[in-house]
Amino acid sequence: MVEIKKYAVIVAGGKGTRMGTNVPKQFLPLLGIPLMCHAVQTFASAIPGIQIIIVLPEDQLGSAQTVLRSYIGKIKVITVAGGETRYQSVANGLKHVNDDGIVFVHDGARPLVTEELILRCYKQTLDKGNAIPSIEATESMRLMEDGASRPLDRSRLRVIQTPQTFKTSIILPAFRQPFHPSFTDEATVVEANGTEIHLIEGMPENIKVTRADDMIIAEALLRVRA
């Protein structure tokens, strides 16, 4: 039986502006470990032998090599320069995917992803071709239109997370499309190429670290896990 090749494209393109720091957020310490290294370690533990591809701004590649050598031990990673948009950054990472298999695309700023979620995404992707983690919207929502707003039925809304997971036969052709402003994540790119998207239950604690307060929350959640 031929082994299925697995890839994790971890997009870590933050510059730290909303964090109020000059240090790019992916390098900020979270319980003593750089933020992006948490996800790297979790993917490597969940799926031994997975090929990890980290996409970073070009001017951070040198620093990243030093950080990775110090904190992830023998885990092998490829570092790739990103682009001006998330679409281009992911496309650059996918250039290093050259076999039939499964690709996880994950936000480097989501350090609390778990092995359990990764494996559930993997299993659904084997069955349905893709798995997009999502959680229920828990707050009231309003849509702005022409300077006014109207309420939305939050029971019909889902908050999308990562790792967004796909068979290579689905995601690689999708990323050969020209960029469109509607491509806000990988699911929108794949859907625009004619593939039905399949959601899977995500995790409320799988937060995306964007602001300084998010670091405090992430640290508290990691301490509870420990």
Side-chain angles (χ1 to χ4, degrees), residues 102 120-131 167 198:
I102 303 294
R120 282 198 294 110
C121 287
Y122 176 71
K123 290 176 182 178
Q124 177 170 296
T125 300
L126 288 176
D127 181 40
K128 297 184 177 181
N130 62 76
K167 288 184 176 179
H198 300 284

Side-chain angles (χ1 to χ4, degrees), residues 14-29 60:
K15 296 186 180 297
T17 53
R18 282 182 286 183
M19 298 290 293
T21 173
N22 291 326
V23 179
K25 66 181 177 183
Q26 52 267 30
F27 296 116
L28 290 174
Q60 295 175 15

Side-chain angles (χ1 to χ4, degrees), residues 109-178:
R110 291 186 189 271
L112 280 83
V113 65
T114 63
E115 294 182 29
E116 188 267 343
L117 178 57
I118 290 169
L119 292 173
R120 282 198 294 110
C121 287
Y122 176 71
K123 290 176 182 178
Q124 177 170 296
T125 300
L126 288 176
D127 181 40
K128 297 184 177 181
N130 62 76
I132 311 301
S134 69
I135 59 173
E136 294 180 352
T138 58
E139 300 185 32
S140 294
M141 300 282 179
R142 297 187 71 88
L143 178 66
M144 295 296 299
E145 289 182 316
D146 300 323
S149 69
R150 62 180 177 85
L152 295 176
D153 180 1
R154 71 183 181 193
S155 68
R156 300 176 62 189
L157 301 176
R158 302 288 291 186
V159 179
I160 302 301
Q161 300 181 331
T162 68
Q164 298 190 11
T165 312
F166 307 87
K167 288 184 176 179
T168 55
S169 59
I170 290 174
I171 191 170
L172 295 181
F175 269 82
R176 297 186 190 114
Q177 300 175 90

